Amino acid sequence: MFMGLYRFKPMPSGRMGIFWTLSGIKESAIIEFGCMGHNLYSGADLRRAGIYEGFGAPLYTTYIDETDISLGDTSRLDATIKQVIINDAPKVIFLQPSAVPEVIGTDLFAVANELQFDFPETRLIPIGHGSFAITQHKGVEEALLALSKTLPLDIALSDAPTYNIIGSCPDLFRYKADAVEITRLMEGAFGMDPCCILSSDTSISAIEKMGSAHVNLVIRREGIPAAQLLEKRFGTPYVVGRPYGIKGTNQWLEDVGNTLNRSQNKAFTNFETELVLEQIDQAYNTLEGNAWSYPQEAAISIGGHADVVKGVLDFATKEMPLKVGSCWCDCPEMGTDEIPYFSEKQWIPIVKNHDKGYLMFSGEALKWAGKNTSLQISNPDIGWRIHPYEPPFVGYRGAVNLVNLWVNEYALTH
Amino acid sequence: MTVELRHLKKLSTIRSGKNIKFLTPAVYSGGYCPMRIACNIVENTEGLSYLLVGMPECATHSRGMNSSPDGLQGELRWLYTLDENEVIFGCREGVIDALRQMNDEGAKAIMIIATCVTDLIGEDLDGIIEELQPQINARLSFVTLGQFKNFGTPIGTWKTAEALGTLMMPKERIDNKANALFIEPWRYNNDPVNFPLVISAMEDRGVDIRRLSRGATLEDYFDAPDASMNLVLSSYTQPLAQKMQERFDLPYAPLHNAFSVSQVDEVYADIAKAFQIDFSNCFDKWRDKALELEERAHKDLPGLKYAFLTGVDMPVALARYLSAFQMEPLLMHIQDFHNEDIGYAKEMKTLGYDPPACRIMHRDKDLEIIKAMKPDISFGSIPRDFEGLRVAEEMGDYFGMTGYERTVSLLTRIFNVLETGKTGERMDVYGSVPF
C-alpha cells in the first residue's frame, strides 16, 4: 500500500480523538464548526458504544457552506451557541473545528474569546488544533490535558479519600466495563469512591473537583501529561498502568496503595485472588496441556492500543501458559521493540494467515478474515455495546473473562 | 410561541439548495453526508469498486459498522486519506498510484469519491482520469461531494447516478428495451426492490426491462445506452436520464413526478406509443380508485393547511400536486433542491402558493415551531413520543413508487390521517387494488 491508502478504516484523526474524549461529559455540549457528516456518524457510533443522549454531551454542529468558507464567516457558530444555551443550558460548550475550517485556517480560539463576552454564563472552551498531522491518540491526550488544565477549580483534598481515573475514553474497546471494574477494585481494596472518571462517565462538576482527589489513576499513557499537570497544581500523585491478570492486578493495587500510603483491604484482594484462581483452574489446565503438546497452538497474537496489548500479553504469557505470537500496537509513536507499530500492510498478512493459536484484534479485521470475533480486543468495532454490564478485560473479573475467551477459542477449534 | 420565519426564503425564489436556510441554527446532530450515500450506491453495484479520497473522518464513516473492504465479486472499496502535505499541495500522485494498484488488483471500474477537503483544494480528478485512463484497464469515473456544497442524500444520489452514467459508452439501440432508473442508497422499506406496476405491465407486453437499481451489475450500466427509453422512477435519477438523453439521444419517461391521474395517463400513453404496446385495461381498478379519491380530495381538502417535515421524497413535486386540491403549504422542509423543482415552484406560485422553505436540522425543537403554526396535517417523520401534530408518516414508502397506485396510496393515507390522526397500515401497491 502507498502512504494514505487503506483497505480498512484508517487511524482516526486527532479531531476524532478529541471529539470522542469530550463526548461523555455531562453538563456540557459539543459544537463542531464545519460540515455535518462527522458529527452525525460519530454520534451514531458513540450511541452504539454506550454514550447516548442524556448520558454524555449533546453533540451539535453548525454546518458550513461555500459562502462561509469564501468569506471566513463564523456567524453560524454564534447563532448555534445561542440556540444550544437555550436548549440545554450547559455549563460548558466545547468548540471544535472540523477538517474544512482547519484547512481554511479558522482561528477558533480567537472566535471563542470574542464570543465569550456575549455568553458570560456559559464557558466556551475551544479544543484542539486538530491539525492534519496528529492522530487519534494525540487527540485524546490533547483533550485530557485541556480538560485538566481548564476546568478543575482550586479545592482542598476531600475528607474521605477519592481518586480520579484519567483516560477512560470511548475509543478503547470495552472502556466502560474496564472503568467499572477499576472502581470495584478501588472500593474493595481501599474503600474509595471515584471523584472523576475522565472522561467516559463524568460531568463538568466532577472535573471541577478533580483537585480534591488523593490519587490519579492513569489508565493509558495519553493521560500522563494531564496527570503531571494535576500533580504540579494540586500535588496529586499518580499511578500509570492498567491492571491485567491476577498478579498484575495485585501489583497495580499495591502500587496504588504505596502511592496513597494506604494499606489494602487484604480480605478483599485475597478473596478475589482465590476466587479467580478457582474459577480458571480447569481452564488453565486445559490451556497448559495443549500448550505442552502443541506449542504452536499456544501462541497469542494481539493488536490494539499499546497499553492494552502489553497488559493482555503479560497476563497471557507470564501468568497463563500462552506464548508470544505477533503483537503490535496501533499508534506509530507508541511502538517499541516488544510491541512495534504495525501498519495495515503489516498486519493484514498476520490476520489473514493466522491459523493456530489466539488472535485478538479489531472486530473489523477479525470479521473480514473470518476469525472468532468474540476475541475482539480493540476497535474498529462491529457491534453495538449498549449492554452496560459487559465483562471487563482489566482486574480480577477481566482475568476470568480473558481466560474464558481463550479456553472457548480452544474449544471452538478442537 | 412566536414563530420566526423571516430568515427563510420563499419557495419561488429558490434556485438551488444553497438558498434553503435552517429553521433553527443549531444542528442536532448532523445530516447524512453525500459521500456515504455514494459509497452505498457503489457497494450495491456488482462489479464496481471505489476509491474514497478524503480525511480520516470520511474514510472511517464511509463504512457502515459491518462494511467490508471487499465486495462479494472482488470489488475493492479502498480509502485514501490526505496527509498534511497533500492538503496543501494536492494528492494527485498518491491518487494515481492508488488507482494503478487497484487496477493491478483487478478492479473493473472505479468510482473516485472525493469528499470535503479534496473538493475544497480543487484536486483535478477529471485531469487525473484523462491522464490515467489510457494506461489502465479499469474504467474510471468520479464524483466530488464536499458537503459544504452538496447538502445531503438527494444530491449525493443524483450526482453519483450521473457519474455512473459517465461509465456508459454508445451502444446499438434495441427496440423493445427500457431501463428502469431507481438508483437508491438505502435498504429501508423497499427491499427487495419492488418496482411500480407499469414495469411488470410492460414486461407482460414483451418489453425487456433492465433494472438499474440495487443489485444491478456494472455490465448493466455499460449496456444501458442500448435501451429505447429510460423510465425515471425517482427524482434522484432524473439528471442521469437527462444526461443519457444528451449523450445517447435516449428519451425518458418521467414517471416520478406524475402524481395526478391525468399526468399518469399522459406518461403511460407516451410509453405505450414508444413501445407500440397497449396497456388496455390493466390499470383500470387502480385508476378508477385514484379518480374517486381525487374527486373526494377536491371536495374535502381545499383550505387545509399542511407542513412538510423530514423524510418526504420529492417535496416540491408533491406540493405542486396538493396545490391542485387547494391545500395550503405553511412550511416545507426541503433537503436538496432539484432543477426540476424550479418549474413546480413556479406552477405553485401561479396557483397562489409560495411557502417558506427550510431545512429541519434539530427535529425536536423545530417540530415545536411547526406545531405552533397549527397545520391541519403534516407529512414526514416525527419522534415516537411527539404529540400535537397529525402526521402522515413513513413517506419514504413512496420513494420509487409511481403510477395510479401511488396516487391511491397517498390520498388514502391523507384521508386516514385526517380522520383518525394515524397513518394506518402500509398499503400493498404491488398487485391488485386492495379494496
Side-chain angles (χ1 to χ4, degrees), chain A residues 247-259:
Chain A
K247 290 179 185 165
T249 299
N250 286 335
Q251 181 61 52
W252 182 84
L253 286 170
E254 201 172 314
D255 292 345
V256 174
N258 289 340
T259 305

Side-chain angles (χ1 to χ4, degrees), chain A residues 330-341:
Chain A
D330 58 10
C331 175
E333 291 84 20
M334 293 181 188
T336 60
D337 288 344
E338 184 190 11
I339 302 171
Y341 164 70

Side-chain angles (χ1 to χ4, degrees), chain A residues 33 63-78 100-108 110-111 114, chain B residues 120:
Chain A
F33 179 56
Y63 184 60
I64 187 169
D65 67 15
E66 289 171 279
T67 311
D68 301 321
I69 292 169
S70 53
L71 301 178
D73 186 358
T74 56
S75 57
R76 283 176 188 272
L77 198 53
D78 191 345
V100 168
E102 280 300 313
V103 174
I104 61 175
T106 306
D107 186 349
L108 214 51
V111 173
E114 257 182 55
Chain B
L120 184 68

Side-chain angles (χ1 to χ4, degrees), chain B residues 289-320:
Chain B
K289 188 69 188 174
L291 277 173
E292 177 194 321
L293 289 166
E294 281 194 341
E295 198 175 324
R296 183 179 165 197
H298 280 294
K299 282 184 203 151
D300 294 354
L301 301 184
L304 293 184
K305 295 178 171 58
Y306 68 93
F308 279 159
L309 316 177
T310 57
V312 179
D313 187 39
M314 298 194 296
V316 191
L318 177 56
R320 176 193 61 165

